[in-house]
């Protein structure tokens, strides 16, 4: 059970906009620690999608955007495409765990 | 171009110690601000952060696994080694190493392909 909570699944039709939430607490997101997002296609390693709450690495389409407010963060995907069907994970740091990072439980995106 | 690759046994017996090596290229682990982390993923389950070693040899571990994990680096060989003691079938997972940077929290911008480790007698 992760300290960062994501919905197990979301879905949307091609062309639509979907959002994936990542809910934390005052010891992680709420404490000001940045949130990062990864996309994991079936059978492959995760790929960095968003870093520092809202920054896209080179090569990531601008259909993907991230935001953070209070103790939560969100990943938004606009103009949904079939190839976006994947698992999505948020990551941050939790000061109560004294480790290096924590992941959310992941969200399966299904493109209808 | 940054690349990382994990290597180690694919099968270990319960109670044995697992040793995984991450061999990387395209960066130096003596560069300020750089780290290499290990993350695992049991089949069909979520990612789990395990450990991280910094350029200055500082180390961080998952609190739940700290007593079983050791992370070290060999800068001259461009390698990071993770050992996990007392392996159990629940430790069966794909283990990834990743290049890590800091932005108010650590994130992983380059990942290895992962190596599946099965724990079974």
């Amino acid at each position: 059970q992760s300290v960062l909570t994501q919905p197990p699944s979301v879905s949307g039709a091609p062309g639509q906009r979907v959002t994936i939430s990542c809910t934390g607490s005052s010891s992680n997101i709420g404490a000001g620690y940045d949130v990062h997002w990864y996309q994991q296609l079936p059978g492959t390693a995760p790929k960095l999608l968003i870093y520092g709450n809202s920054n896209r690495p080179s090569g990531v389409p601008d259909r993907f955007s991230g935001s953070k407010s209070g103790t939560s963060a969100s990943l938004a995907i606009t103009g949904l495409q079939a190839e976006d069907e994947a698992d999505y994970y948020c990551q941050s740091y939790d000061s109560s765990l004294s480790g290096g990072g924590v992941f959310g439980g992941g969200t399966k995106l299904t493109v209808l | 171009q940054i690349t990382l690759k994990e290597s180690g046994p694919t099968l270990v017996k319960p109670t044995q110690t697992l040793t995984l090596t991450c061999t990387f290229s395209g960066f130096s682990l003596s560069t300020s601000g750089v780290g290499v982390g290990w993350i695992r993923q049991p089949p069909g389950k979520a990612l789990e952060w395990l450990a991280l070693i910094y350029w200055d040899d500082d180390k961080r571990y998952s609190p739940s696994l700290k007593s079983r994990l050791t992370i070290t680096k060999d800068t001259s060989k461009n390698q990071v080694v993770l050992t996990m003691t007392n392996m159990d079938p629940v430790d069966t997972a794909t283990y990834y190493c990743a290049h890590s940077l800091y932005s108010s929290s650590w994130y992983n911008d380059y990942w290895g392909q992962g190596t599946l480790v099965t724990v079974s007698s």
Side-chain angles (χ1 to χ4, degrees):
Chain A
Q1 194 165 348
S2 177
V3 297
L4 301 178
T5 302
Q6 298 181 234
S9 64
V10 297
S11 63
Q16 284 190 331
R17 178 182 187 270
V18 297
T19 61
I20 298 173
S21 60
C22 176
T23 303
S25 66
S26 58
S27 62
N28 42 69
I29 298 175
Y33 296 110
D34 282 355
V35 178
H36 320 291
W37 291 90
Y38 302 88
Q39 176 193 60
Q40 187 176 32
L41 298 171
T44 69
K47 168 191 169 185
L48 180 66
L49 209 56
I50 298 287
Y51 68 96
N53 303 318
S54 59
N55 300 293
R56 282 187 309 275
S58 174
V60 173
D62 59 7
R63 301 188 297 105
F64 296 90
S65 63
S67 62
K68 175 184 141 179
S69 178
T71 58
S72 295
S74 290
L75 173 71
I77 309 172
T78 58
L80 206 56
Q81 299 179 3
E83 58 259 37
D84 298 332
E85 187 159 294
D87 293 323
Y88 293 83
Y89 294 90
C90 60
Q91 181 193 14
S92 187
Y93 175 82
D94 192 292
S95 59
S96 69
L97 298 178
S98 65
V102 288
F103 285 99
T107 298
K108 169 67 177 178
L109 168 62
T110 300
V111 180
L112 301 171
Chain B
Q1 179 190 3
I2 291 176
T3 64
L4 305 99
K5 187 172 184 179
E6 308 85 355
S7 59
T10 58
L11 179 66
V12 297
K13 291 180 167 49
T15 75
Q16 287 187 335
T17 294
L18 171 68
T19 299
L20 293 173
T21 300
C22 176
T23 303
F24 57 85
S25 63
F27 68 96
S28 171
L29 198 40
S30 59
T31 300
S32 178
V34 172
V36 170
W38 285 92
I39 302 99
R40 73 177 178 179
Q41 185 173 37
K45 296 189 177 181
L47 300 172
E48 180 182 12
W49 185 88
L50 298 179
L52 172 66
I53 189 163
Y54 298 169
W55 79 99
D56 60 359
D57 208 38
D58 191 10
K59 300 159 188 176
R60 302 295 171 91
Y61 296 101
S62 166
S64 62
L65 294 168
K66 186 174 183 177
S67 63
R68 300 173 53 206
L69 294 174
T70 303
I71 189 170
T72 60
K73 65 180 175 73
D74 186 330
T75 305
S76 65
K77 291 184 179 179
N78 282 352
Q79 290 182 334
V80 170
V81 175
L82 180 76
T83 61
M84 180 179 291
T85 61
N86 194 24
M87 293 292 285
D88 183 272
V90 300
D91 297 312
T92 294
T94 296
Y95 288 75
Y96 297 98
C97 65
H99 176 265
S100 301
L101 294 174
Y102 188 78
S103 170
S104 173
S105 64
W106 286 87
Y107 65 95
N108 307 293
D109 57 346
Y110 293 91
W111 294 63
Q113 64 189 24
T115 184
L116 176 61
V117 177
T118 301
V119 184
S120 174
S121 55

